[in-house]
């Protein structure tokens, strides 16, 4: 019990990560600037599905409560986009929320509640959650590619890497103790990617980006910097499972 309590308290800690500062700035300026809403909408879906998984799984209270924190935080983030984004981005965000956070989530809950029963229901929900988690790890992979290409950590957030490592390690330990293959798969990958990112950070932390950049390559890396800023939310999902 003491071990589980420690994991619970530590898993809450990464929820207070650098993107909170980003959204404080958005609230103060009443503008979402160049940030994209899609990562936050997807993370809201992921957190919601993990809440459902935790509720459905026997003894899954820890997963449900920690993911519930993620749902609240991501809901606030998405709401800020609906309030302060440009009309075009606001409309795009609304469509994504309706399609993913309402439509897809509702379909999963409805189908698994009516057509799937017992331990099979837990398995189906767990597979969906794990697959979605693996999907959102595209951003850490893109960040690692950029670091190796530029030989500089300028385009990779240290805190994002650290929280990815921390969250992945915490939940992997929990998954091993609880013998939960779905949590173990989703977070084990995050732990490995976070570890590699920290190693890359140590290798390239004192290096500067190559000055011999073509215009198109420089544009791509600037875009990657924006993606990395956007995807600090993955430290959430990444904190919320």
């Amino acid at each position: 019990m003491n071990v589980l309590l420690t994991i619970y308290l530590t898993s809450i800690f990464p929820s207070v990560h650098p993107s909170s500062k980003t959204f404080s700035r958005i609230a103060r300026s009443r503008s979402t600037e160049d940030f994209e809403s899609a990562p936050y909408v997807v993370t809201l879906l992921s957190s919601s599905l993990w809440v459902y998984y935790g509720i459905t799984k026997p003894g899954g209270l820890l997963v449900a409560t920690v993911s519930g924190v993620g749902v609240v935080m991501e809901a606030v983030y998405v709401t800020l986009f609906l309030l302060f984004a440009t009309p075009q981005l606001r409309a795009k965000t609304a469509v994504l929320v309706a399609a993913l956070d309402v439509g897809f989530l509702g379909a999963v809950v409805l189908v698994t509640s009516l057509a799937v029963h017992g331990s099979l229901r837990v398995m189906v929900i767990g597979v969906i959650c794990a697959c979605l988690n693996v999907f959102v790890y595209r951003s850490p992979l893109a960040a690692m590619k950029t670091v190796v290409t530029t030989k500089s950590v300028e385009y990779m957030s240290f805190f994002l890497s650290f929280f990815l490592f921390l969250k992945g390690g915490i939940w992997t330990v929990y998954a091993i103790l609880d013998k939960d293959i779905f949590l173990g798969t989703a977070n084990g990958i995050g732990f490995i990617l976070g570890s590699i990112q920290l190693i890359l950070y140590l290798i390239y932390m004192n290096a500067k980006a190559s000055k011999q950049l073509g215009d198109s390559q420089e544009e791509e890396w600037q875009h990657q910097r924006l993606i990395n800023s956007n995807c600090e939310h993955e430290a959430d999902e990444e904190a919320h499972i």
Side-chain angles (χ1 to χ4, degrees):
M1 178 61 72
N2 290 335
V3 174
L4 294 180
L5 179 59
T6 301
I7 292 174
Y8 174 79
L9 294 175
T10 312
S11 62
I12 289 292
F13 172 72
S15 300
V16 186
H17 66 87
S19 68
S20 300
K21 296 180 180 179
T22 298
F23 282 92
S24 295
R25 188 176 78 212
I26 288 175
R28 287 195 303 269
S29 65
R30 304 179 70 83
S31 170
T32 57
E33 302 174 11
D34 293 326
F35 291 99
E36 284 290 334
S37 61
Y40 303 96
V41 174
V42 173
T43 303
L44 177 58
L45 171 63
S46 177
S47 297
S48 301
L49 284 170
W50 280 114
V51 169
Y52 182 45
Y53 174 79
I55 292 173
T56 306
K57 175 189 172 183
L61 179 62
L62 177 65
V63 177
T65 53
V66 174
S67 298
V69 175
V71 170
V72 173
M73 292 182 65
E74 297 303 327
V76 171
Y77 296 164
V78 171
T79 299
L80 289 176
F81 273 97
L82 294 174
L83 291 175
F84 301 131
T86 60
Q88 183 178 2
L89 181 56
R90 189 181 305 149
K92 175 184 175 182
T93 303
V95 170
L96 286 174
V97 169
L100 298 178
D101 298 327
V102 177
F104 183 79
L105 176 63
V108 170
V109 172
L110 187 63
V111 170
T112 55
S113 297
L114 299 179
V116 187
H117 305 283
S119 59
L120 181 60
R121 179 187 299 172
V122 177
M123 182 180 299
V124 170
I125 300 170
V127 168
I128 294 173
C129 290
C131 288
L132 187 59
N133 253 47
V134 171
F135 170 75
V136 299
Y137 284 137
R138 70 193 186 284
S139 291
L141 286 171
M144 290 160 56
K145 177 184 176 182
T146 303
V147 170
V148 173
T149 303
T150 63
K151 301 187 184 305
S152 169
V153 295
E154 182 180 358
Y155 303 98
M156 183 174 71
S157 166
F158 170 78
F159 288 104
L160 176 58
S161 303
F162 175 71
F163 285 127
L164 181 61
F165 165 81
L166 181 63
K167 166 266 167 187
I170 292 169
W171 280 108
T172 299
V173 171
Y174 174 83
I176 292 173
L177 294 175
D178 197 47
K179 298 179 181 179
D180 191 320
I181 188 174
F182 305 114
L183 282 173
T185 300
N187 293 284
I189 294 174
F191 176 72
I192 293 172
L193 291 178
S195 301
I196 295 174
Q197 284 193 352
L198 290 178
I199 292 172
L200 289 176
Y201 198 93
L202 290 174
I203 294 174
Y204 295 114
M205 61 185 296
N206 294 321
K208 294 183 178 180
S210 173
K211 299 299 181 181
Q212 300 176 350
L213 302 176
D215 291 340
S216 60
Q217 195 173 23
E218 174 67 21
E219 231 178 78
E220 179 184 345
W221 289 339
Q222 291 296 339
H223 179 63
Q224 182 59 49
R225 176 187 287 177
L226 176 60
I227 291 176
N228 291 340
S229 296
N230 249 330
C231 291
E232 284 176 352
H233 78 288
E234 286 179 9
D236 274 332
E237 179 176 351
E238 332 264 5
H240 315 313
I241 308 290

